[in-house]
Amino acid sequence: ENTSPSSTYFLGRGLLPLVDAGYAVIRPNTRGIASDARDAGQYGRPQLEDTERLLDQLAADGTIDPRRVAVVGHSHGGAMAYYYLTHASPWGSTARRAARGAPRFCAVVAVNGRADWVLQANHPEDGVLPDALGGPPAARPDHYRAFSPAANARAASAPLLAVAGGKDTQILPANVPIMAD
């Protein structure tokens, strides 16, 4: 199911152990649906732009190794993880020289995320995507093709671990095999 044992579950069981092991854990505060409506009609694009700018700066400062950046996301974050996997640009000229042109992420983990945005937009229990993309798939098929991670899966350049709750009624478990196929 699309629930966690408590509000601190991912912090205590996921993020803090990574920090204790020496990893830098970054939680970007991006523009968009989670905080405002600046992503209307382009869900995913401004979030990825903000994250790429942050990562470019951290790499340029030497704070992170651009060859060892992974993405983990749950629910909306899972949708963004899929989107980042399929839409991210390679490391730019502002990142360390050794990483120029290299894939942006070394791995992606998407938990209960929307991968097939047409499937999800047509699902009555999920009202996010038609608002976020400016209409239903039937009215904007080219837009959904451009933005949906499943429609752009061939662009993925990192390994993906996709997780879904078999009884989730909001984020359909079918997103995982669709993305795998």
Side-chain angles (χ1 to χ4, degrees):
E1 293 182 44
N2 194 7
T3 60
S4 299
S6 72
S7 62
T8 60
Y9 180 78
F10 288 110
L11 180 64
R13 301 279 294 175
L15 300 181
L16 291 179
L18 290 172
V19 171
D20 287 344
Y23 290 88
V25 177
I26 303 162
R27 230 179 130 204
N29 182 17
T30 60
R31 296 169 287 159
I33 198 166
S35 60
D36 57 51
R38 288 182 279 177
D39 64 345
Q42 55 179 348
Y43 182 61
R45 183 178 291 153
Q47 291 90 342
L48 179 57
E49 288 171 358
D50 291 350
T51 301
E52 287 181 332
R53 273 195 307 275
L54 173 64
L55 293 174
D56 284 345
Q57 185 61 53
L58 292 171
D61 293 347
T63 304
I64 63 169
D65 179 347
R67 295 165 297 179
R68 299 178 67 193
V69 175
V71 175
V72 178
H74 171 259
S75 193
H76 161 70
M80 290 299 99
Y82 282 128
Y83 186 85
Y84 287 18
L85 173 70
T86 58
H87 290 80
S89 61
W91 281 98
S93 60
T94 60
R96 284 194 205 165
R97 184 178 301 248
R100 284 191 188 147
R104 179 66 65 166
F105 305 110
C106 66
V108 173
V109 179
V111 181
N112 293 76
R114 297 167 181 87
D116 185 332
W117 291 7
V118 172
L119 173 76
Q120 281 296 144
N122 288 320
H123 180 54
E125 297 294 317
D126 185 357
V128 171
L129 290 168
D131 288 340
L133 289 176
R140 306 201 73 197
D142 292 339
H143 206 62
Y144 276 81
R145 253 189 310 281
F147 281 84
S148 176
N152 293 280
R154 292 194 189 285
S157 59
L160 167 67
L161 173 60
V163 180
K167 296 180 181 179
D168 195 335
T169 59
Q170 181 184 9
I171 308 299
L172 296 170
N175 281 284
V176 170
I178 286 169
M179 197 64 183
D181 288 346

